[in-house]
Amino acid sequence: MTSHKTAQTMKPATAAKKLGVYLQATPAEFQEGAVSRTELNALQTDPPAWLVELRRTGPHPRPVVAAKLGISIAGLARGGVTEPLTTEQIEALRDEKPEWLEKERATQAEVRKETARIKERNAERAAQSGDQQSGDQQSGDQ
């Protein structure tokens, strides 16, 4: 008996998410069929013209919009942005600098700062814990 490997496939929505594109803006043939891992890798390494254009101009899904604006996805929702935006619309928002966007950027900066502080604190604790353990082993070796 020989086992035949079947290609792993994913739904178009999953593939679009991995590619960072808005599914409804992709070609119909992409939306309608399953995407294999091999096909996904090919799309990532040698993207077709439609994918290059979609990544460049949009419309972009919320995670991409949030990243381009420097805020969280929740911040987008709080700002009333619930639809995908084009690159042009994102740039217009950046230029307008609405109050909600400035507030969300400040919030995101604080979150990043706090995350870095916690990471540093945990690294220090781990280093101290490692020092104590090696000290305990040295005293036990004597």
Side-chain angles (χ1 to χ4, degrees):
M1 257 198 274
T2 58
S3 63
H4 295 286
K5 278 196 164 187
T6 56
Q8 276 189 318
T9 59
M10 61 192 83
K11 294 177 182 177
T14 303
K17 189 174 187 178
K18 288 180 181 286
L19 292 169
V21 295
Y22 183 57
L23 178 62
Q24 285 73 12
T26 61
E29 59 270 10
F30 180 86
Q31 293 180 38
E32 293 165 2
V35 179
S36 72
R37 292 229 178 255
T38 306
E39 291 169 331
L40 179 69
N41 290 339
L43 287 169
Q44 289 173 325
T45 56
D46 186 23
W50 65 263
L51 182 54
V52 171
E53 181 65 17
L54 195 55
R55 284 177 168 167
R56 191 170 59 77
T57 61
H60 303 288
R62 287 180 305 149
V64 174
V65 173
K68 286 180 179 273
L69 290 173
I71 62 175
S72 67
I73 295 172
L76 275 179
R78 286 189 292 268
V81 178
T82 57
E83 297 298 315
L85 299 178
T86 64
T87 300
E88 191 176 291
Q89 291 169 315
I90 293 168
E91 288 170 0
L93 265 176
R94 275 196 216 132
D95 293 343
E96 289 171 20
K97 295 181 183 174
E99 187 178 326
W100 69 266
L101 180 56
E102 294 301 309
K103 181 180 175 192
E104 291 300 332
R105 280 184 167 169
T107 300
Q108 190 69 9
E110 285 299 315
V111 167
R112 286 188 184 118
K113 198 161 85 175
E114 180 65 7
T115 301
R117 186 191 67 77
I118 291 170
K119 186 176 179 181
E120 188 177 311
R121 183 198 67 196
N122 290 344
E124 287 174 7
R125 285 182 178 172
Q128 289 173 354
S129 160
D131 290 346
Q132 287 176 349
Q133 288 177 357
S134 64
D136 291 345
Q137 289 174 352
Q138 288 175 354
S139 64
D141 293 340
Q142 295 174 349

